[in-house]
Amino acid sequence: MSALLQIQNVSKTFDLPGGQALTAVDDVTFAVEKGSICVLLGPSGSGKSTILRMIAGLETQSSGAVLLNDTPIDGPGRERGMVFQAYSSFDWMSVGKNVEFGMKINGVPAAERRARAERFIGLVGLSKFIDAYPSRLSGGMRQRVAIARTLANAPDVLLMDEPFGALDAETRWQMQELMIEVAEASGTTMIIVTHDIEEAIFLADKIVFLSSHPGRLKEEILPTFKPGRLRNKEDVIALPGYAEMERKIMRMMREEGHK
Amino acid sequence: MSTASKGRKARLLQVRVPVSGRQALISALGVWIAFFGVWILASGLGWVNPILVPPPGKVFATIVRLFAEQGFGADVLISIGRVLIAFALASLVAVPLGVAMGAFPAINAVFAPFVSAWRYLPAPSFIPILLMWFGTGETPKLALLFLGVIFFLVTLIADHTREIRKELIETALTLGANRRVTVFQVMLPAVLPNILVAMRQMLAVVWTYLVIAEIVASTTGIGAMMMRARRFLKTDEILAGIIVIGALGMACDMAFALLHRRLFPYLEDKR
């Protein structure tokens, strides 16, 4: 049985004004197992967001193949839900209606919709705000809404593009711990793009490290020093093996920076 | 005076230091009192010809008299009717077309070159030909008001639609939205507050064209009344017309502001 998601020899070239071409992603191959958390890590210019957008179907690859359940993806679809760095709340709907939106357009009956929305809003800790408008919420809370909205729509894979990049430090690690909880509770497969090394090691079952200009797969890193998923970040940082892995990845980042 | 500014010299003009509510009120009243003061003095002391510049008291008395005795209310209603009908027609075309142009580059590619060329043609330049085509009835007036705003309204709405944040559209797509759902359930509600703002701005422009239409080619309406008054040197009636038009414009603007607050309560918290 092959992996849930397969990225096979994927390249992406952008045409620049003036007739030049920019290779953002160059011959990248990796696979994501069902139920796992895969983190795409790399310096800026490593094409990690571009890879995520190709998986989402928001960009098309110049060559290679992206397969979900052995089927080539064709455009965006509900089975690949995405959470963006910038706020994406539908401001004219309450938190509850935001979370119901995906299910509503996919024909889930109202009662079931409401129940699922309540479950996922509870999971991200926003039950008190189910009838509030998103404009009343803080940045971290809005990202929780976006996560609940995507999860409630039951995607095969949750794609996140630097989802906590705009948040302050404290909210950020709370959200990281929330993602571990959510992954455990829902069993959702996740692909998370970040350039934060701590975040990558804490969240990942597998880190796909990309080099920059052009984006190439440099190394697949497995944080095997972790005994499964831990909910507290400080517990992960205290593990033997954490410091060594962080140091190794920092070196890789630095090498990329000096290129 | 706040405690923080004690020890510093109190200054009247400070860059971007907000004024108190009291100072704002005094300033606002002051400028109007000065305006009417100069007006009263100028006409009362004979600095100006009282036939050309009647005193404010007389102008306001004239407003009352016009409504009470001379059937001015009918003229006002006719003018309001023209504005509302022409503006409704323009909105009926501009909202769907503008949103479609903003949503679909293929539609924009057809209409943008056409619409932006028309924007440079001053609507009043069409008055002679409109009169020849449509005679002297209501049609040429409505056509002028329509032409005066339609191209600006379409452009504004298309721009606002184009400015909808990409994340909203891409979120909808990755939740499984098709084209229809994306346009009608995400883009349209997202742009609606800005459409209303554009309509509010353009309604003010419709009033401008209304007066032009009624002064040039009408026997009814506020503008026509003012042109009649001119013939008999009734400057008080002309000024009364100006004030009524100003008041109506302001009322429209306030109605739109109220509508905006009512329709989009979720924007309140943002400020």
Side-chain angles (χ1 to χ4, degrees), chain A residues 101-215:
Chain A
F101 181 81
M103 295 183 277
K104 189 175 158 206
I105 63 175
N106 287 301
V108 176
E112 188 189 336
R113 226 154 66 198
R114 189 75 190 166
R116 278 182 69 81
E118 279 170 9
R119 182 183 151 217
F120 282 98
I121 290 168
L123 187 63
V124 298
L126 287 180
S127 296
K128 265 198 296 183
F129 296 93
I130 191 162
D131 292 319
Y133 283 120
S135 54
R136 275 192 50 207
L137 307 182
S138 68
M141 288 156 91
R142 281 173 171 229
Q143 280 310 66
R144 287 168 196 249
V145 175
I147 290 162
R149 180 174 58 190
T150 314
L151 286 173
N153 202 33
D156 292 338
V157 53
L158 172 64
L159 309 172
M160 304 179 91
D161 191 1
E162 306 206 16
F164 316 129
L167 305 179
D168 60 77
E170 187 195 350
T171 314
R172 199 179 163 103
W173 64 253
Q174 283 173 353
M175 294 296 289
Q176 292 163 357
E177 293 184 347
L178 175 70
M179 290 322 293
I180 294 289
E181 257 175 69
V182 165
E184 291 292 289
S186 66
T188 310
T189 311
M190 299 183 186
I191 305 178
I192 302 170
V193 161
T194 186
H195 56 249
D196 179 332
I197 298 170
E198 243 184 53
E199 180 168 289
I201 300 175
F202 175 62
L203 291 175
D205 297 323
K206 173 164 85 179
I207 297 172
V208 172
F209 191 96
L210 298 151
S211 65
S212 59
H213 305 297

Side-chain angles (χ1 to χ4, degrees), chain B residues 9-14:
Chain B
K9 243 189 232 168
R11 292 208 191 131
L12 209 51
L13 290 178
Q14 296 200 77

Side-chain angles (χ1 to χ4, degrees), chain A residues 8-63:
Chain A
Q8 295 176 341
N9 308 103
V10 166
S11 297
K12 174 74 182 177
T13 308
F14 289 104
D15 292 322
L16 297 179
Q20 282 176 307
L22 173 83
T23 303
V25 177
D26 187 20
D27 195 22
V28 167
T29 299
F30 64 93
V32 180
E33 301 296 333
K34 191 169 164 38
S36 71
I37 301 179
C38 173
V39 170
L40 303 186
L41 180 66
S44 52
S46 59
K48 51 194 190 299
S49 287
T50 308
I51 293 173
L52 199 75
R53 289 177 62 79
M54 288 190 286
I55 297 170
L58 297 169
E59 305 269 2
T60 44
Q61 65 271 25
S62 307
S63 64

Side-chain angles (χ1 to χ4, degrees), chain B residues 141-154:
Chain B
K141 287 141 202 150
L142 295 178
L144 176 72
L145 305 198
F146 182 87
L147 284 176
V149 293
I150 183 74
F151 301 110
F152 289 96
L153 201 52
V154 167

Side-chain angles (χ1 to χ4, degrees), chain B residues 74-114:
Chain B
D75 278 317
V76 172
L77 285 180
I78 287 170
S79 292
I80 292 175
R82 284 172 182 154
V83 166
L84 290 185
I85 292 170
F87 190 64
L89 290 173
S91 303
L92 224 55
V93 176
V95 173
L97 183 59
V99 171
M101 285 169 66
F104 301 106
I107 293 179
N108 192 58
V110 175
F111 288 100
F114 184 78

